[in-house]
Amino acid sequence: MQQKDVLPTKPKTTASAPAVAENITGAEAVIRSLVAEGVDTIFGYPGGAIMPIYDALYDFQDTVHHILVRHEQGATHAAQGYARSSGKVGVVFATSGPGATNLVTGIADAYVDSTPMVCITGQVAAALLGTDAFQETDVIGITMPITKWNIQVTRPEDIAPAIAKAFYIARSGRPGPVLVDITKNAQFAVTNFEYKPCSYIRSYSPTPELNQEQIAAAALAINDAKRPYILCGHGVLLSGAEKALIALAEKAGIPIASTLLGLSAVPTSHPLYVGYLGMHGNYSPNINTNECDVLIAVGMRFDDRVTGDVSKYARQAKVIHIEIDAAEINKIVKADVAVHADAKAALEALLPLVNAEKHEEWLASFREGDKLEYEKVQQNELHPKAGGLTMAEVIRRISEKTEGRAILVTDVGQHQMVASRYYQFRDPNTNITSGGMGTMGFALPAAMGAKVGAPEKEVVAIIGDGCFQMTLQELGTINQSQIGVKIVILNNNFLGMVRQWQQLFFDKRYSSTEMINPDFVQIAKGFFVEAKKVSSRDEIDAAVDTMLAHKGAYLLEVVVEKEENVFPMVPTGAGIGEIRLD
Amino acid sequence: MQKEYTVTVYTEDRIGITNRITVIFTRRQINITSLTTAETEIPGVYKFIITVLSTREKLDKVVGQIERLIEIHRAFVHEEDEVVYQELALYKIATRNLNNHNIEQLIRDNNARILTITADYVVIEKTGHQQELLSMLKQLEPYGLIEYSKSGRVAIVKWSRRFHEHLKDLSLKQAEL
């Protein structure tokens, strides 16, 4: 089928099925439950144990849009992208056994990156459970450590309550993936159906009550600070706290740095935004973590990629940690003031209590580091005088031509770090990447899901040549479902980040990192996706223009410098103060 | 410093909850030395009593991660002196040895009691701290011990006052919905 110039197809109607019905099958109860939750998009792949559910779906094609992926892992990443761009819960269908186990990577990814997702898997009939039946795996046992919650349902009457609980748990508190495994007999059997959304579980309190003493203590520390510093994490985006965060920073004159998943919460151009934290982040945000006197960590969990050696991390600072997940408080960095709260609620409560300040000298100190980084690193990367294309100049070009308004979906590796450093974000939730898991193969399916979740937005996936080959079969989904995503492969014929480490720490012994790649343009065209390859500096402008002007999906392969390194860099095990510029 | 701690966890009745709890200890390489679980006075709420050798710092983090599980009400770490606890041991010895005067004395001295007597064997029960149970085991060994079995720890927290009420309140709230 030839790719057509259209956005993803929308359901023809949005009429919802009644939330009460008599004598329907468990399979139909699944679909009606999803409709009752407002689900209009499902990413999935059918198979023996989930066939009754797919059969029931057939009657709801006008209400629920099913996107047939090419591999179940793709379904999970697509659901993640969809959830992150739309703010809704991503929904996945898969069959038992291999279908279910193929979800594992995406579920684990969603778990560490707090992405709301409900996976529904078919399971062998209850009578066969535990007998090593055909396509039986203990998906509950397998996904126990990587789901926020999971449940196996063996009776049709338990389906609606299980799905109601699943949605409530997935999207409340610190969001996460949930799995509902439904045996085939429960899908076939008949039940009376009534859907009651879940809003209470007696052992679960997702939204902590705001503790005014904690807020007052935080305000006191901020008002006493000479060099206060905000670290913005994914929790800011998840709680919709972007405006509250900026208002607080503006009133109290506090610089804001961002974690990888916090990117896009604050526009890159904001005068108080000082850059990106972590192993390959900007120079001054890392250095100044060890110079501030009060560190205000908002919705972030002190990942080791941000802290480096914890024993050398922000020892001088009084730490205020605003965090919805109590288990994250004091887990890595001891908080002097722990604020166990939703980020938005906490920041809004803090705003009237903080003094108006400027901290000009402190802010200026960031600019010194920026200058150093620009001279030593950025200048050469953005405006190289010779050699092959750099990743930075490609990203900056895309950033300019999309005016920072595209949803940027990055895969994992050098290109991810470069994109995070050089793309200039303007709107919230426009950075979608695999942070905690670092899952190669994430970007292509995630971008596909992001585009379905926000069809009005330009979605640009930035993918390395290695990553692309992990999930490239999703080009088939992109073609079949007419998803107009833009795909940029930054091809250096290497597993670039591993090669960089081999160069720096393994004596340039490039063990199994060089790639002999296929013809990506031919591959794209084989999937009826328009494509082009460029390799010289004077072609890049026109190529990006052509890609963005193209209606529908487009793949642009850019051949970049083969042995480019990403600096600055905090070597593994070093403190963030030991960040290297070359 | 690594020492013995008691961890108590209040949970909902749910298949697999033991697995969900123990895997958190496993991830941090903490060995569980005993685990006792039973339903509490509140229907549907279970209490796990877990003893481990570890450090306070590690366990405070483990308890936080346990509490993150949806079906967990609360989890606590207790120092040795914060709990009143007992363990129970059963000892099976050959009945012919019962005629031995020393055995009767031994049972009395240890505050143990005989649970059952058959033609072949006698089962003796004793409650106490682990050291006492082991001490009696040593004393019985010369008389032909056939089998020995010991429970995990059962504990009551000295400072717990309102948890019972807390759980009852939660149950009432659930009933209202």
Side-chain angles (χ1 to χ4, degrees):
Chain A
M1 187 176 71
Q2 189 67 42
Q3 171 84 20
K4 293 202 191 96
D5 295 344
V6 291
L7 289 172
T9 46
K10 275 281 182 190
K12 286 177 208 135
T13 66
T14 50
S16 59
V20 181
E22 281 182 357
N23 297 326
I24 63 168
T25 63
E28 192 177 336
V30 171
I31 308 297
R32 282 176 181 263
S33 299
L34 296 176
V35 171
E37 283 292 340
V39 173
D40 58 17
T41 305
I42 294 165
F43 301 92
Y45 205 100
I50 198 169
M51 274 175 65
I53 293 176
Y54 269 89
D55 183 63
L57 186 63
Y58 195 78
D59 293 329
F60 286 81
Q61 289 176 67
D62 286 349
T63 317
V64 184
H65 182 203
H66 181 266
I67 293 175
L68 175 63
V69 295
R70 294 299 183 268
H71 186 286
E72 291 87 349
Q73 183 188 350
T76 53
H77 295 324
Q80 289 178 276
Y82 175 86
R84 302 256 288 268
S85 75
S86 70
K88 298 190 221 164
V89 178
V91 180
V92 171
F93 279 179
T95 192
S96 63
T101 57
N102 279 346
L103 301 179
V104 167
T105 303
I107 294 175
D109 195 291
Y111 186 62
V112 269
D113 285 353
S114 313
T115 308
M117 178 158 85
V118 170
C119 298
I120 292 177
T121 48
Q123 180 57 278
V124 300
L128 293 172
L129 283 173
T131 65
D132 303 322
F134 176 67
Q135 291 197 331
E136 185 202 0
T137 47
D138 176 14
V139 64
I140 293 297
I142 290 170
T143 60
M144 211 174 260
I146 52 166
T147 46
K148 191 173 169 190
W149 185 69
N150 67 12
I151 190 169
Q152 186 167 65
V153 181
T154 55
R155 304 184 311 169
E157 62 270 32
D158 296 337
I159 287 174
I163 291 178
K165 255 178 113 170
F167 274 84
Y168 174 55
I169 291 167
R171 65 178 158 226
S172 58
R174 178 179 177 176
V178 165
L179 184 136
V180 182
D181 191 40
I182 307 174
T183 58
K184 203 168 176 181
N185 59 298
Q187 299 173 40
F188 274 128
V190 168
T191 180
N192 288 334
F193 172 79
E194 185 178 4
Y195 197 78
K196 284 190 199 148
C198 176
S199 59
Y200 175 75
I201 298 169
R202 73 173 177 177
S203 57
Y204 174 58
S205 24
T207 318
E209 243 175 74
L210 205 57
N211 179 323
Q212 292 303 335
E213 278 174 33
Q214 293 173 351
I215 296 291
L220 195 68
I222 293 169
N223 289 337
D224 280 348
K226 297 277 173 288
R227 296 183 306 281
Y229 188 24
I230 292 173
L231 309 187
C232 160
H234 192 196
V236 171
L237 289 158
L238 289 167
S239 79
E242 306 88 352
K243 283 186 183 144
L245 180 79
I246 292 170
L248 181 84
E250 285 176 349
K251 183 176 179 194
I254 310 174
I256 309 170
S258 174
T259 68
L260 175 60
L261 285 185
L263 287 173
S264 85
V266 179
T268 311
S269 61
H270 193 283
L272 288 171
Y273 180 72
V274 294
Y276 162 49
L277 291 162
M279 182 178 265
H280 289 289
N282 295 111
Y283 182 75
S284 62
N286 278 303
I287 289 285
N288 274 353
T289 307
N290 283 353
E291 298 295 330
C292 66
D293 58 358
V294 171
L295 190 71
I296 309 149
V298 191
M300 58 86 79
R301 58 187 181 87
F302 296 106
D303 183 89
D304 54 84
R305 284 296 190 267
V306 162
T307 63
D309 180 354
V310 183
S311 70
K312 296 175 188 164
Y313 182 79
R315 307 303 287 178
Q316 79 297 338
K318 193 170 200 180
V319 175
I320 301 170
H321 193 181
I322 301 173
E323 171 60 51
I324 196 164
D325 182 355
E328 293 297 349
I329 297 171
N330 297 328
K331 189 179 86 175
I332 307 290
V333 170
K334 173 101 184 58
D336 297 284
V337 181
V339 182
H340 179 214
D342 170 71
K344 189 178 176 189
L347 292 168
E348 283 175 350
L350 267 174
L351 185 62
L353 304 182
V354 298
N355 298 337
E357 287 285 353
K358 292 261 186 255
H359 302 300
E360 271 164 1
E361 210 173 304
W362 168 231
L363 273 164
S365 74
F366 284 86
R367 304 307 167 209
E368 287 162 30
D370 293 349
K371 205 172 150 226
L372 194 65
E373 183 180 334
Y374 186 80
E375 281 164 8
K376 287 229 175 191
V377 184
Q378 297 188 357
Q379 179 172 248
N380 304 327
E381 290 185 345
L382 289 170
H383 311 289
K385 303 235 162 26
L389 277 162
T390 68
M391 295 188 193
E393 61 184 319
V394 179
I395 298 292
R396 185 48 69 85
R397 211 68 60 95
I398 294 167
S399 181
E400 285 162 4
K401 288 184 184 292
T402 58
E403 298 175 337
R405 286 246 143 91
I407 293 178
L408 196 74
V409 185
T410 51
D411 221 297
V412 171
Q414 287 185 319
H415 68 276
Q416 176 191 33
M417 296 296 110
V418 173
S420 305
R421 286 165 46 75
Y422 290 104
Y423 194 81
Q424 298 195 297
F425 298 96
R426 282 174 72 161
D427 305 322
N429 293 311
T430 53
N431 165 56
I432 298 175
T433 195
S434 167
M437 271 274 286
T439 303
M440 286 178 69
F442 173 85
L444 185 67
M448 186 172 96
K451 182 71 182 170
V452 176
E456 73 289 355
K457 283 267 196 183
E458 188 76 78
V459 174
V460 181
I462 309 287
I463 311 182
D465 48 312
C467 295
F468 184 72
Q469 291 177 76
M470 285 205 169
T471 48
L472 68 80
Q473 70 279 9
E474 296 309 335
L475 287 172
T477 312
I478 287 167
N479 172 50
Q480 179 167 347
S481 292
Q482 309 271 301
I483 302 168
V485 63
K486 311 297 188 228
I487 304 151
V488 178
I489 298 179
L490 296 179
N491 182 2
N492 59 6
N493 283 93
F494 259 120
L495 299 178
M497 191 59 94
V498 186
R499 188 211 53 76
Q500 175 170 341
W501 284 43
Q502 287 171 335
Q503 179 188 335
L504 299 174
F505 311 115
F506 292 86
D507 210 14
K508 290 194 178 179
R509 288 152 57 90
Y510 294 160
S511 180
S512 296
T513 42
E514 184 156 22
M515 291 209 129
I516 294 173
N517 284 329
D519 183 335
F520 292 122
V521 170
Q522 286 292 336
I523 285 178
K525 289 190 169 167
F527 283 100
F528 306 109
V529 170
E530 192 49 46
K532 188 178 167 65
K533 176 178 181 175
V534 294
S535 51
S536 71
R537 194 155 284 124
D538 50 9
E539 292 173 290
I540 190 76
D541 250 340
V544 174
D545 283 340
T546 306
M547 172 180 82
L548 293 173
H550 185 82
K551 285 187 180 157
Y554 192 94
L555 182 142
L556 175 63
E557 178 191 353
V558 184
V559 178
V560 293
E561 187 65 50
K562 207 165 162 129
E563 297 188 26
E564 188 186 342
N565 287 336
V566 188
F567 284 107
M569 177 177 193
V570 181
T572 311
I576 46 163
E578 297 160 74
I579 188 165
R580 291 169 51 173
L581 281 163
D582 49 35
Chain B
M1 197 186 69
Q2 184 144 310
K3 58 179 186 178
E4 187 164 65
Y5 286 92
T6 306
V7 175
T8 55
V9 186
Y10 291 86
T11 80
E12 288 288 335
D13 177 13
R14 174 75 206 285
I15 290 177
I17 198 76
T18 311
N19 197 353
R20 280 168 213 269
I21 295 169
T22 56
V23 80
I24 293 171
F25 289 94
T26 310
R27 279 184 70 194
R28 288 197 184 253
Q29 305 260 300
I30 299 170
N31 194 19
I32 290 174
T33 48
S34 90
L35 189 154
T36 308
T37 177
E39 195 169 25
T40 64
E41 67 280 19
I42 313 285
V45 175
Y46 278 68
K47 182 177 179 181
F48 282 66
I49 301 158
I50 300 163
T51 57
V52 289
L53 267 180
S54 188
T55 64
R56 178 82 201 204
E57 195 197 350
K58 240 188 197 183
L59 288 174
D60 283 337
K61 291 173 186 176
V62 163
V63 156
Q65 286 172 309
I66 292 173
E67 283 195 335
R68 182 152 71 183
L69 300 173
I70 304 294
E71 285 96 357
I72 303 294
H73 287 284
R74 291 299 304 275
F76 306 93
V77 187
H78 311 288
E79 303 278 340
E80 184 83 356
D81 60 358
E82 289 176 342
V83 285
V84 177
Y85 64 88
Q86 287 290 71
E87 287 162 12
L88 180 146
L90 300 178
Y91 309 84
K92 184 168 154 188
I93 58 170
T95 303
R96 62 178 183 278
N97 292 336
L98 202 61
N99 299 327
N100 186 321
H101 173 72
N102 288 343
I103 291 254
E104 197 189 325
Q105 190 61 42
L106 207 151
I107 290 170
R108 284 178 196 280
D109 290 351
N110 280 283
N111 283 323
R113 63 183 183 131
I114 292 173
L115 285 187
T116 189
I117 304 178
T118 71
D120 295 333
Y121 61 84
V122 183
V123 176
I124 303 163
E125 175 216 89
K126 174 171 172 51
T127 55
H129 287 193
Q130 175 156 308
Q131 282 314 314
E132 301 168 64
L133 306 182
L134 287 174
S135 155
M136 181 153 163
L137 176 70
K138 277 210 177 106
Q139 293 166 47
L140 280 172
E141 254 172 2
Y143 302 102
L145 182 81
I146 301 169
E147 195 182 334
Y148 165 71
S149 193
K150 189 181 87 64
S151 77
R153 181 172 288 190
V154 176
I156 288 279
V157 184
K158 292 178 185 171
W159 47 258
S160 69
R161 282 193 203 95
R162 299 205 11 96
F163 201 69
H164 176 80
E165 271 75 36
H166 169 70
L167 288 175
K168 279 207 298 198
D169 289 348
L170 288 173
S171 301
L172 286 175
K173 194 173 170 197
Q174 173 111 326
E176 283 166 19
L177 288 167

